[in-house]
Amino acid sequence: MPSRYRFAASPRWVLGHAVVLVLMVTMTLLGRWQLDVSDAKHFSLQNFGYALQWWAFTTFALVMWLRIIRDVQRHNADETTDVQIAEAKAVAAAPVAYRRYVMPQSSDGPMQALDGAQAAYNDYLAQLNAAESVKQDSERTTS
């Protein structure tokens, strides 16, 4: 067994393997029984369809169990990779600029003192709004 699927040998997973195996054997035998019933009725199409249905269930159970195992393996590999990437970044990372959160202000409440960057941004927005108002006024007069 490859080392990346070693988790599937734990007791919990072995129990899951056993349950899926028992289900597969049971469904295969039920399909065989339906095929025998179909033969006893001189090829009953309904019972033959049931046999095929049981075998389709068997295939579905096997495919889904294999996909579950594959998905868990990929999830485990992603976690390992994420941890390794995080460790590598922690060692080589430069300090990141911190930007503080500014609480939105209510328009009907008292104005709080603005820092320089926020005041400059508000002035920029006011200029854009004024330019848009002039543009709309000129469009109205030409229309």
Side-chain angles (χ1 to χ4, degrees):
M1 177 184 315
S3 61
R4 60 184 178 197
Y5 291 104
R6 206 170 295 281
F7 71 91
S10 69
R12 186 179 100 186
W13 284 96
V14 170
L15 178 64
H17 300 322
V19 168
V20 170
L21 183 65
V22 167
L23 287 172
M24 287 174 53
V25 168
T26 302
M27 289 185 285
T28 301
L29 293 174
L30 284 168
R32 173 103 186 209
W33 170 71
Q34 285 290 344
L35 190 60
D36 290 341
V37 170
S38 174
D39 287 341
K41 293 182 177 182
H42 304 291
F43 190 71
S44 167
L45 189 58
Q46 181 179 10
N47 291 104
F48 183 73
Y50 287 150
L52 293 177
Q53 188 176 7
W54 281 115
W55 294 330
F57 291 159
T58 302
T59 304
F60 179 78
L62 177 63
V63 168
M64 289 308 297
W65 185 246
L66 293 175
R67 288 186 73 172
I68 289 170
I69 291 172
R70 184 197 64 192
D71 289 348
V72 169
Q73 183 274 329
R74 284 183 180 171
H75 179 72
N76 290 344
D78 289 346
E79 283 181 354
T80 303
T81 305
D82 290 345
V83 169
Q84 291 170 347
I85 290 172
E87 289 173 355
K89 283 183 179 179
V91 170
V96 177
Y98 176 73
R99 186 171 180 157
R100 68 181 178 86
Y101 175 75
V102 178
M103 178 71 86
Q105 298 176 6
S106 173
S107 62
D108 56 337
M111 286 291 290
Q112 297 178 353
L114 302 177
D115 62 354
Q118 188 175 7
Y121 183 68
N122 286 344
D123 291 339
Y124 171 71
L125 291 176
Q127 290 172 1
L128 288 177
N129 189 26
E132 184 68 26
S133 296
V134 169
K135 181 180 174 185
Q136 287 177 353
D137 288 341
S138 66
E139 286 177 358
R140 283 186 204 143
T141 58
T142 58
S143 299

